[in-house]
Amino acid sequence: MTPEMLVSIFMTLVAASTPLLLAALGELVVEKSGVLNLGVEGMMLCGAVAGFAVAFSSGSVGLGLLAAIAAGVATAMIFAVLTLSLTANQVATGLALTIFGIGTSSLIGAGFVGRTIERLGPVFPAGLSEHPLLKAIFGHDIVVYLSLALVLAVSLFLRRSRPGLILRAVGENAASAHAIGYPVLAIRYAAVAFGGALAGLGGAYFSLALTPMWADRLTAGRGWIALALVVFAAWRPGRLLLGAYLFGAVMTLELQAKAAGVTWLAPEFLAMTPYLATIAVLTMMSLGRRTGRPDAPACLGKPFSAS
Amino acid sequence: MNQPHEQKVPPRLALAHISKSFPGVKANDDVSLSVGRGEIHALLGENGAGKSTLVKILYGVQQADEGSIAWDGEIVSIPSPKAARQLGIGMVFQHFSLFDAMTVIENIALGLDEAVDRDVLKARVAAILDSYSLPLDPEREVHTLSVGERQRIEIVRCLLQKPKLLIMDEPTSVLTPQEVEKLFGTLRQIAAEGCAILYISHKLDEIKALCETATILRGGRVVASCDPRTETTRRMAELMIGAELRQLERAAGDRAGAARLAVAGLSLPGEPPFGTDLEGLSFEARAGEILGIAGVAGNGQSELLTALSGERLAERSEAILLDGKPVGQLGAGPRRALGLACVPEERNGHAAVPDFSLAENTVLTARHRLPLAPLGVISGRDVLRFTDAIIKRFDVRTTSPAAPAQSLSGGNLQKFIMGREIGQEPGVLVVCQPTWGVDAGAAAAIRQELVDLAAKGSAVVVISQDLDELLELSDRLCIINEGRLSPPRAVASYGIDEIGLMMGGIHGEAGPAAGAAHA
């Protein structure tokens, strides 16, 4: 295998991992605040279609990314109003949000099916990435670098900063946090909005960077993998990075196997591998769990109303 | 204490004619009291006497309808807990508002109104821990700490704000005797430095040992104030409940008969993440006796209860014998049918389904022993009759048997649950914390029912953290610590120091001798 091939595989791996990492990182913050938003897939699709529509109409991929973030936040706010202000069931609302996202993206995207745009390019000048090794470092687009920076930022925010401490407190024990005097609902709204923004961005990465054309259900269930990743990572950003790249590797493997013309294994089986890996990892985690404390935030999924 | 100053300096806190009404009840009615600097003032009263309302008004959680609060002689308004903290009022709640998965220092940081640099905060906390010689590791996660240590977090949280008045809400309800001594030492030191302390409790012995003044509330009104150091406990108790205290009546002598419940070598791994492993527990509960099991929370009590109730099965059927029959592998229903009833500590959600009515909750456990659901069809009339009988006999304050369990106050629900189990006249009754949060009058009634049940030939096992209760109730006592149980001995053979040491994990054959030496 030539170095060029290895770098090419690596680039594919990074690209496949990035949307997962973004969506899962957003959901991690949401869950740390005690809210379980199962609508990641729906928010990703809304972001994907909004990003594509704006990029197609305006010709600017940057505007498309911003529109995707806005669409993700807007979709998340539907969830926030229903579950936080109106204390609807979070699981049911999250599932409904996914179905809503699938339908909405199909509707908006109906006119764009098959259209293409110019994809999001590398952020550094091409001269920097002539050598294969340099390309592996400098050849990525801005969203990749942003996602890695966000992992560090979220990790520091949760562990080191006072707002992060308060956010964790709200997820651990909402009643106590309220008693001490913290605005539980406002903090959760902010967390859900952040989760929506990252899910929207992650979705747009599909339509603007991975496959710069619109197709129905473009994200193909990656939102569910992002949800599983949060559990896999035991709500820790560092492990989330590891997990996202692991799944990215599995998906790349699938593509490479197809490209290499592997015939002894049905392509359908290859397409199953990321999802099988999800189930396998989650099962291993729950079998191997004998740590001293629960990983999940204690108030995860429990509605809170100040009274 | 500071007699000469009393005339010159205004009291730190003076409440005048405070009244507060809720729909249907007057929680505080013309309450006046004052607390001086460095004074430890007891606020005494049963559940529902208006103590918590008064304290909430003082801490800014609620507002008084009438009356005024004077702070250092000046009338103030306290619209929020933050305002209370700014005045210099600190409060240690009965149920700590702590975050289990976080470290001590993170919990303390969360309790502060302003952001403090981590290192600065660490230094300030270390200084306080040092000057009050409080043992507490700031980097430990809260769920690994004992209740006493958790309470210290709350105290440190208050002390960081240099309070002028510290409110302690029933602080000793879950502490070992040694921890109580330690707490009193700390409180005396805080008071000696000039901080006033408002100490809320219904434990009269403690108030006698600690406080200089006591204000007694009943039905929202101040019924007396006295000097607890000179007043008798009995008199204070009677002022508190407004009637003569019922003395526990029991026949003298050893009434114990054959073993009804025999546990032999019961081991059970604790449930992760916080469970305690039970290791080779053995004891017998005999007909006609009350066996007490003392211990600090989290030493295997809940595991023992679930193992006895049948929620978790023993490894061997012979590990638990009920009237000689091996039941270790039977589930909760069959064990109930055979006459083993259990009352877990957690009322809402474990002993009762919060959303179900009292009648429905009755069916859930009583159907095994009473003909409430012949052929699986619930007989509404019989259920109502039995539920009504419980409500009357145990004086449960509720609107009707159709009221949902969660609408009852904690003490009333406990009375109902105890009544439901005792009313089935089980051969063996295992109860965890039978009078937790129940006021003195009702607690006496529940204890009397337990004694009467034993007198009829049942075996009663009481698992409790309340030592006074165990000493009063039990014929024999054993101590559970880290999942191990000491052999049961007659209550009279223990010294209180010895029990405290054993609860703290210091065993050894020299126990009784050491206890005697201390006494």
Side-chain angles (χ1 to χ4, degrees):
Chain A
M1 215 178 256
T2 63
E4 282 76 17
M5 272 177 74
L6 277 178
V7 166
S8 146
I9 292 176
F10 177 74
M11 301 299 284
T12 324
L13 187 158
V14 171
S17 310
T18 298
L20 278 181
L21 181 61
L22 283 169
L25 193 63
E27 179 66 11
L28 183 140
V29 172
V30 175
E31 293 190 11
K32 270 287 181 190
S33 80
V35 181
L36 181 65
N37 185 354
L38 295 182
V40 177
E41 177 81 358
M43 298 189 296
M44 286 179 86
L45 278 169
C46 285
V49 74
F52 189 86
V54 169
F56 184 83
S57 316
S58 70
S60 159
V61 177
L63 276 182
L65 288 175
L66 290 179
I69 292 174
V73 172
T75 322
M77 280 303 106
I78 302 175
F79 176 84
V81 170
L82 290 174
T83 59
L84 300 180
S85 296
L86 306 175
T87 62
N89 182 297
Q90 293 179 5
V91 171
T93 311
L95 293 175
L97 195 70
T98 289
I99 300 167
F100 169 81
I102 292 172
T104 309
S105 63
S106 279
L107 178 71
I108 298 176
F112 296 109
V113 173
R115 303 285 181 96
T116 56
I117 54 164
E118 193 178 338
R119 77 163 71 201
L120 184 64
V123 64
F124 295 110
L128 258 178
S129 25
E130 270 170 13
H131 188 275
L133 203 64
L134 288 176
K135 191 181 178 196
I137 301 172
F138 293 111
H140 307 285
D141 56 62
I142 185 157
V143 180
V144 171
Y145 298 111
L146 181 70
S147 71
L148 295 175
L150 276 170
V151 172
L152 187 67
V154 166
S155 177
L156 287 177
F157 170 80
L158 287 176
R159 274 191 306 137
R160 293 276 159 179
S161 78
R162 184 171 168 84
L165 179 66
I166 295 170
L167 181 115
R168 280 191 290 139
V170 166
E172 250 347 288
N173 189 340
S176 286
H178 175 71
I180 294 175
Y182 294 116
V184 173
L185 288 186
I187 290 165
R188 288 187 168 176
Y189 261 100
V192 170
F194 179 77
L198 288 205
L201 188 59
Y205 198 76
F206 280 95
S207 59
L208 301 183
L210 284 179
T211 55
M213 66 177 222
W214 181 253
D216 227 17
R217 299 215 189 180
L218 192 63
T219 55
R222 297 295 197 274
W224 298 109
I225 295 187
L227 277 167
L229 267 176
V230 178
V231 181
F232 165 81
W235 290 267
R236 283 174 212 145
R239 281 181 64 173
L240 192 71
L241 181 66
L242 191 77
Y245 275 75
L246 190 74
F247 278 102
V250 174
M251 286 182 280
T252 313
L253 197 73
E254 175 207 334
L255 288 176
Q256 291 296 322
K258 265 189 209 159
V262 173
T263 48
W264 50 271
L265 206 58
E268 287 81 5
F269 191 83
L270 284 173
M272 275 161 59
T273 44
Y275 308 95
L276 284 177
T278 309
I279 295 173
V281 165
L282 285 178
T283 313
M284 283 189 305
M285 291 244 338
S286 55
L287 285 178
R289 174 155 28 221
R290 285 297 288 188
T291 51
R293 57 170 241 203
D295 296 316
C299 276
L300 183 59
K302 290 185 193 150
F304 172 82
S305 57
S307 54
Chain B
M1 214 179 243
N2 302 322
Q3 297 297 339
H5 297 288
E6 230 167 51
Q7 298 307 314
K8 294 175 217 157
V9 186
R12 175 121 289 161
L13 170 80
L15 300 178
H17 312 294
I18 296 281
S19 292
K20 172 81 181 172
S21 296
F22 295 108
V25 59
K26 195 148 194 182
N28 285 151
D29 187 3
D30 195 22
V31 174
S32 301
L33 66 86
S34 69
V35 188
R37 281 145 215 256
E39 176 184 322
I40 307 183
H41 189 114
L43 191 57
L44 195 58
E46 295 198 281
N47 296 335
K51 289 174 301 183
S52 348
T53 307
L54 192 65
V55 166
K56 279 180 187 161
I57 291 169
L58 196 49
Y59 198 57
V61 181
Q62 278 166 355
Q63 304 302 310
D65 298 338
E66 287 165 49
S68 62
I69 304 172
W71 182 257
D72 286 335
E74 281 176 41
I75 303 287
V76 291
S77 76
I78 307 178
S80 70
K82 197 166 179 170
R85 287 196 288 266
Q86 274 162 359
L87 277 179
I89 301 176
M91 175 145 180
V92 175
F93 290 92
Q94 184 181 4
H95 302 289
F96 314 138
S97 40
L98 294 176
F99 304 93
D100 281 356
M102 299 189 170
T103 64
V104 170
I105 198 88
E106 287 177 333
N107 268 281
I108 291 173
L110 280 166
L112 299 178
D113 285 325
E114 76 284 0
V116 177
D117 182 76
R118 210 180 171 88
D119 294 329
V120 175
L121 183 63
K122 265 185 196 165
R124 282 172 61 191
V125 168
I128 286 178
L129 291 175
D130 193 47
S131 68
Y132 293 92
S133 47
L134 292 169
L136 189 64
D137 177 0
E139 296 300 333
R140 286 267 295 273
E141 289 190 358
V142 170
H143 66 82
T144 64
L145 301 179
S146 74
V147 184
E149 287 171 311
R150 290 176 195 213
Q151 188 177 53
R152 277 176 219 144
I153 302 176
E154 294 266 7
I155 294 175
V156 170
R157 223 189 229 180
C158 288
L159 290 178
L160 270 176
Q161 291 161 339
K162 301 191 175 64
K164 295 172 181 153
L165 172 71
L166 187 60
I167 306 171
M168 303 287 297
D169 190 4
E170 311 226 350
T172 61
S173 48
V174 287
L175 303 185
T176 63
Q178 277 81 4
E179 283 178 322
V180 169
E181 260 319 301
K182 180 92 195 122
L183 172 69
F184 283 8
T186 309
L187 290 181
R188 288 193 188 103
Q189 188 184 345
I190 293 169
E193 288 163 4
C195 178
I197 295 176
L198 192 58
Y199 187 90
I200 299 157
S201 181
H202 52 235
K203 290 195 179 168
L204 299 161
D205 294 338
E206 290 176 359
I207 285 172
K208 272 181 86 74
L210 184 71
C211 303
E212 297 145 39
T213 327
T215 299
I216 303 175
L217 288 181
R218 188 173 74 232
R221 302 184 67 101
V222 176
V223 289
S225 52
C226 61
D227 183 343
R229 289 168 299 186
T230 57
E231 198 67 72
T232 68
T233 357
R234 192 174 174 80
R235 166 107 185 98
M236 285 194 288
E238 284 170 1
L239 281 168
M240 190 163 81
I241 64 174
E244 274 195 33
L245 201 60
R246 273 173 71 179
Q247 205 76 6
L248 200 59
E249 293 166 22
R250 60 199 303 177
D254 188 9
R255 290 150 286 112
R260 301 208 66 170
L261 176 71
V263 175
L266 175 68
S267 294
L268 197 68
E271 276 186 84
F274 305 140
T276 308
D277 298 341
L278 296 182
E279 293 169 32
L281 267 59
S282 298
F283 64 90
E284 281 184 352
R286 298 173 298 190
E289 80 165 349
I290 297 181
L291 175 71
I293 296 180
V296 182
N299 274 293
Q301 288 98 326
S302 48
E303 285 82 1
L304 176 59
L305 190 106
T306 48
L308 291 178
S309 70
E311 283 168 65
R312 293 180 65 197
L313 301 181
E315 283 168 9
R316 296 171 299 116
S317 198
E318 295 75 29
I320 303 171
L321 296 177
L322 181 62
D323 291 325
K325 271 195 283 295
V327 296
Q329 296 269 324
L330 294 181
R335 287 194 203 183
R336 279 190 175 278
L338 289 170
L340 171 60
C342 288
V343 179
E345 178 179 4
E346 179 70 39
R347 295 162 199 150
N348 260 320
H350 197 177
V353 184
D355 296 323
F356 279 20
S357 72
L358 295 181
E360 286 166 328
N361 271 298
T362 305
V363 179
L364 285 178
T365 76
R367 72 196 156 94
H368 299 284
R369 292 185 60 75
L370 301 174
L372 299 179
L375 302 172
V377 181
I378 296 172
S379 155
R381 269 201 10 236
D382 292 333
V383 172
L384 271 186
R385 194 180 310 133
F386 182 60
T387 310
D388 257 334
I390 298 169
I391 290 172
K392 290 209 179 65
R393 176 170 159 197
F394 285 83
D395 187 28
V396 181
R397 313 270 165 83
T398 177
T399 47
S400 82
Q406 64 187 0
S407 70
L408 270 62
S409 74
N412 268 311
L413 185 58
Q414 182 70 5
K415 287 196 273 184
F416 168 76
I417 290 164
M418 291 298 298
R420 177 183 71 184
E421 303 304 331
I422 292 174
Q424 301 171 37
E425 307 202 337
V428 177
L429 178 66
V430 181
V431 289
C432 205
Q433 305 284 13
T435 60
W436 184 277
V438 179
D439 58 45
I446 287 179
R447 290 183 192 138
Q448 185 63 54
E449 292 281 355
L450 288 174
V451 168
D452 293 348
L453 181 71
K456 285 183 202 155
S458 299
V460 178
V461 179
V462 178
I463 305 171
S464 178
Q465 296 169 42
D466 185 343
L467 258 188
D468 295 336
E469 171 171 87
L470 288 174
L471 293 175
E472 186 187 3
L473 269 179
S474 317
D475 298 292
R476 294 188 303 152
L477 187 68
C478 41
I479 284 112
I480 190 165
N481 179 258
E482 291 180 357
R484 293 194 198 92
L485 194 68
S486 73
R489 276 167 32 203
V491 166
S493 72
Y494 285 97
I496 186 100
D497 284 0
E498 187 195 349
I499 299 178
L501 289 173
M502 289 171 77
M503 282 166 75
I506 297 164
H507 298 277
E509 299 314 309
H518 276 293

